[in-house]
PDB file of all heavy atoms in Angstrom:
ATOM      1  N   GLY V 308       1.672 -79.395-174.230  1.00 93.00           N
ATOM      2  CA  GLY V 308       2.918 -79.090-173.527  1.00 93.00           C
ATOM      3  C   GLY V 308       4.151 -79.133-174.402  1.00 93.00           C
ATOM      4  O   GLY V 308       5.275 -79.128-173.899  1.00 93.00           O
ATOM      5  N   LEU V 309       3.962 -79.189-175.724  1.00 95.00           N
ATOM      6  CA  LEU V 309       5.095 -79.273-176.651  1.00 95.00           C
ATOM      7  C   LEU V 309       5.590 -77.899-177.117  1.00 95.00           C
ATOM      8  O   LEU V 309       6.628 -77.804-177.767  1.00 95.00           O
ATOM      9  CB  LEU V 309       4.711 -80.110-177.875  1.00 95.00           C
ATOM     10  CG  LEU V 309       4.347 -81.581-177.593  1.00 95.00           C
ATOM     11  CD1 LEU V 309       3.878 -82.260-178.868  1.00 95.00           C
ATOM     12  CD2 LEU V 309       5.540 -82.319-176.992  1.00 95.00           C
ATOM     13  N   MET V 310       4.835 -76.857-176.769  1.00 95.00           N
ATOM     14  CA  MET V 310       5.222 -75.522-177.205  1.00 95.00           C
ATOM     15  C   MET V 310       6.463 -75.046-176.451  1.00 95.00           C
ATOM     16  O   MET V 310       6.583 -75.231-175.238  1.00 95.00           O
ATOM     17  CB  MET V 310       4.068 -74.531-176.955  1.00 95.00           C
ATOM     18  CG  MET V 310       4.370 -73.105-177.404  1.00 95.00           C
ATOM     19  SD  MET V 310       4.540 -72.948-179.195  1.00 95.00           S
ATOM     20  CE  MET V 310       2.815 -72.848-179.668  1.00 95.00           C
ATOM     21  N   ASN V 311       7.394 -74.461-177.188  1.00 94.00           N
ATOM     22  CA  ASN V 311       8.542 -73.815-176.559  1.00 94.00           C
ATOM     23  C   ASN V 311       8.691 -72.404-177.146  1.00 94.00           C
ATOM     24  O   ASN V 311       7.930 -72.005-178.029  1.00 94.00           O
ATOM     25  CB  ASN V 311       9.822 -74.636-176.752  1.00 94.00           C
ATOM     26  CG  ASN V 311      10.127 -74.895-178.231  1.00 94.00           C
ATOM     27  OD1 ASN V 311       9.950 -74.032-179.078  1.00 94.00           O
ATOM     28  ND2 ASN V 311      10.582 -76.113-178.528  1.00 94.00           N
ATOM     29  N   MET V 312       9.662 -71.656-176.686  1.00 95.00           N
ATOM     30  CA  MET V 312       9.789 -70.266-177.092  1.00 95.00           C
ATOM     31  C   MET V 312      10.049 -70.125-178.592  1.00 95.00           C
ATOM     32  O   MET V 312       9.457 -69.267-179.261  1.00 95.00           O
ATOM     33  CB  MET V 312      10.910 -69.573-176.310  1.00 95.00           C
ATOM     34  CG  MET V 312      10.996 -68.069-176.598  1.00 95.00           C
ATOM     35  SD  MET V 312      12.284 -67.236-175.659  1.00 95.00           S
ATOM     36  CE  MET V 312      13.760 -67.904-176.451  1.00 95.00           C
ATOM     37  N   ILE V 313      10.916 -70.985-179.140  1.00 95.00           N
ATOM     38  CA  ILE V 313      11.257 -70.889-180.559  1.00 95.00           C
ATOM     39  C   ILE V 313      10.037 -71.150-181.426  1.00 95.00           C
ATOM     40  O   ILE V 313       9.754 -70.402-182.386  1.00 95.00           O
ATOM     41  CB  ILE V 313      12.389 -71.880-180.930  1.00 95.00           C
ATOM     42  CG1 ILE V 313      13.652 -71.584-180.118  1.00 95.00           C
ATOM     43  CG2 ILE V 313      12.668 -71.805-182.430  1.00 95.00           C
ATOM     44  CD1 ILE V 313      14.215 -70.190-180.335  1.00 95.00           C
ATOM     45  N   LEU V 314       9.277 -72.207-181.102  1.00 96.00           N
ATOM     46  CA  LEU V 314       8.068 -72.516-181.861  1.00 96.00           C
ATOM     47  C   LEU V 314       7.053 -71.383-181.769  1.00 96.00           C
ATOM     48  O   LEU V 314       6.414 -71.022-182.756  1.00 96.00           O
ATOM     49  CB  LEU V 314       7.439 -73.816-181.350  1.00 96.00           C
ATOM     50  CG  LEU V 314       8.089 -75.129-181.802  1.00 96.00           C
ATOM     51  CD1 LEU V 314       7.424 -76.308-181.088  1.00 96.00           C
ATOM     52  CD2 LEU V 314       7.967 -75.288-183.315  1.00 96.00           C
ATOM     53  N   LEU V 315       6.928 -70.808-180.567  1.00 96.00           N
ATOM     54  CA  LEU V 315       5.979 -69.715-180.365  1.00 96.00           C
ATOM     55  C   LEU V 315       6.365 -68.498-181.213  1.00 96.00           C
ATOM     56  O   LEU V 315       5.514 -67.875-181.854  1.00 96.00           O
ATOM     57  CB  LEU V 315       5.921 -69.328-178.888  1.00 96.00           C
ATOM     58  CG  LEU V 315       4.915 -68.236-178.518  1.00 96.00           C
ATOM     59  CD1 LEU V 315       3.499 -68.662-178.880  1.00 96.00           C
ATOM     60  CD2 LEU V 315       5.010 -67.899-177.029  1.00 96.00           C
ATOM     61  N   ILE V 316       7.658 -68.193-181.235  1.00 95.00           N
ATOM     62  CA  ILE V 316       8.131 -67.047-182.037  1.00 95.00           C
ATOM     63  C   ILE V 316       7.867 -67.292-183.519  1.00 95.00           C
ATOM     64  O   ILE V 316       7.398 -66.398-184.235  1.00 95.00           O
ATOM     65  CB  ILE V 316       9.631 -66.796-181.784  1.00 95.00           C
ATOM     66  CG1 ILE V 316       9.840 -66.249-180.372  1.00 95.00           C
ATOM     67  CG2 ILE V 316      10.190 -65.820-182.819  1.00 95.00           C
ATOM     68  CD1 ILE V 316      11.294 -66.134-179.961  1.00 95.00           C
ATOM     69  N   VAL V 317       8.169 -68.504-183.985  1.00 96.00           N
ATOM     70  CA  VAL V 317       7.942 -68.843-185.399  1.00 96.00           C
ATOM     71  C   VAL V 317       6.470 -68.673-185.759  1.00 96.00           C
ATOM     72  O   VAL V 317       6.130 -68.115-186.826  1.00 96.00           O
ATOM     73  CB  VAL V 317       8.407 -70.281-185.694  1.00 96.00           C
ATOM     74  CG1 VAL V 317       7.928 -70.736-187.066  1.00 96.00           C
ATOM     75  CG2 VAL V 317       9.925 -70.378-185.612  1.00 96.00           C
ATOM     76  N   MET V 318       5.591 -69.130-184.883  1.00 95.00           N
ATOM     77  CA  MET V 318       4.162 -69.045-185.174  1.00 95.00           C
ATOM     78  C   MET V 318       3.649 -67.603-185.137  1.00 95.00           C
ATOM     79  O   MET V 318       2.796 -67.218-185.943  1.00 95.00           O
ATOM     80  CB  MET V 318       3.377 -69.924-184.200  1.00 95.00           C
ATOM     81  CG  MET V 318       3.615 -71.403-184.463  1.00 95.00           C
ATOM     82  SD  MET V 318       2.635 -72.495-183.441  1.00 95.00           S
ATOM     83  CE  MET V 318       2.946 -74.066-184.283  1.00 95.00           C
ATOM     84  N   ILE V 319       4.169 -66.805-184.226  1.00 95.00           N
ATOM     85  CA  ILE V 319       3.747 -65.407-184.163  1.00 95.00           C
ATOM     86  C   ILE V 319       4.253 -64.640-185.388  1.00 95.00           C
ATOM     87  O   ILE V 319       3.516 -63.843-185.978  1.00 95.00           O
ATOM     88  CB  ILE V 319       4.232 -64.743-182.857  1.00 95.00           C
ATOM     89  CG1 ILE V 319       3.452 -65.307-181.673  1.00 95.00           C
ATOM     90  CG2 ILE V 319       4.058 -63.219-182.913  1.00 95.00           C
ATOM     91  CD1 ILE V 319       3.956 -64.863-180.325  1.00 95.00           C
ATOM     92  N   VAL V 320       5.503 -64.893-185.763  1.00 95.00           N
ATOM     93  CA  VAL V 320       6.046 -64.246-186.967  1.00 95.00           C
ATOM     94  C   VAL V 320       5.226 -64.655-188.198  1.00 95.00           C
ATOM     95  O   VAL V 320       4.940 -63.824-189.072  1.00 95.00           O
ATOM     96  CB  VAL V 320       7.538 -64.608-187.154  1.00 95.00           C
ATOM     97  CG1 VAL V 320       8.028 -64.185-188.531  1.00 95.00           C
ATOM     98  CG2 VAL V 320       8.385 -63.940-186.076  1.00 95.00           C
ATOM     99  N   SER V 321       4.829 -65.932-188.257  1.00 96.00           N
ATOM    100  CA  SER V 321       4.008 -66.416-189.383  1.00 96.00           C
ATOM    101  C   SER V 321       2.640 -65.744-189.379  1.00 96.00           C
ATOM    102  O   SER V 321       2.114 -65.360-190.436  1.00 96.00           O
ATOM    103  CB  SER V 321       3.847 -67.935-189.305  1.00 96.00           C
ATOM    104  OG  SER V 321       5.100 -68.580-189.340  1.00 96.00           O
ATOM    105  N   TYR V 322       2.056 -65.612-188.177  1.00 96.00           N
ATOM    106  CA  TYR V 322       0.769 -64.912-188.061  1.00 96.00           C
ATOM    107  C   TYR V 322       0.898 -63.475-188.570  1.00 96.00           C
ATOM    108  O   TYR V 322       0.050 -62.981-189.324  1.00 96.00           O
ATOM    109  CB  TYR V 322       0.291 -64.903-186.601  1.00 96.00           C
ATOM    110  CG  TYR V 322      -0.646 -63.747-186.300  1.00 96.00           C
ATOM    111  CD1 TYR V 322      -1.988 -63.819-186.649  1.00 96.00           C
ATOM    112  CD2 TYR V 322      -0.172 -62.566-185.710  1.00 96.00           C
ATOM    113  CE1 TYR V 322      -2.841 -62.744-186.419  1.00 96.00           C
ATOM    114  CE2 TYR V 322      -1.006 -61.504-185.482  1.00 96.00           C
ATOM    115  CZ  TYR V 322      -2.343 -61.582-185.840  1.00 96.00           C
ATOM    116  OH  TYR V 322      -3.176 -60.520-185.619  1.00 96.00           O
ATOM    117  N   MET V 323       1.953 -62.789-188.158  1.00 93.00           N
ATOM    118  CA  MET V 323       2.176 -61.397-188.564  1.00 93.00           C
ATOM    119  C   MET V 323       2.324 -61.291-190.090  1.00 93.00           C
ATOM    120  O   MET V 323       1.798 -60.355-190.707  1.00 93.00           O
ATOM    121  CB  MET V 323       3.429 -60.834-187.890  1.00 93.00           C
ATOM    122  CG  MET V 323       3.308 -60.655-186.390  1.00 93.00           C
ATOM    123  SD  MET V 323       2.231 -59.279-185.982  1.00 93.00           S
ATOM    124  CE  MET V 323       2.471 -59.211-184.193  1.00 93.00           C
ATOM    125  N   PHE V 324       3.026 -62.236-190.684  1.00 95.00           N
ATOM    126  CA  PHE V 324       3.215 -62.228-192.134  1.00 95.00           C
ATOM    127  C   PHE V 324       1.868 -62.332-192.844  1.00 95.00           C
ATOM    128  O   PHE V 324       1.587 -61.583-193.787  1.00 95.00           O
ATOM    129  CB  PHE V 324       4.136 -63.384-192.548  1.00 95.00           C
ATOM    130  CG  PHE V 324       4.467 -63.396-194.018  1.00 95.00           C
ATOM    131  CD1 PHE V 324       5.398 -62.508-194.537  1.00 95.00           C
ATOM    132  CD2 PHE V 324       3.838 -64.290-194.877  1.00 95.00           C
ATOM    133  CE1 PHE V 324       5.703 -62.512-195.899  1.00 95.00           C
ATOM    134  CE2 PHE V 324       4.133 -64.304-196.235  1.00 95.00           C
ATOM    135  CZ  PHE V 324       5.077 -63.411-196.741  1.00 95.00           C
TER     136      PHE V 324
END
Side-chain angles (χ1 to χ4, degrees):
L309 298 175
M310 181 67 82
N311 57 40
M312 186 179 70
I313 300 300
L314 282 174
L315 183 60
I316 290 173
V317 169
M318 290 184 169
I319 289 173
V320 168
S321 301
Y322 155 80
M323 292 288 187
F324 184 77

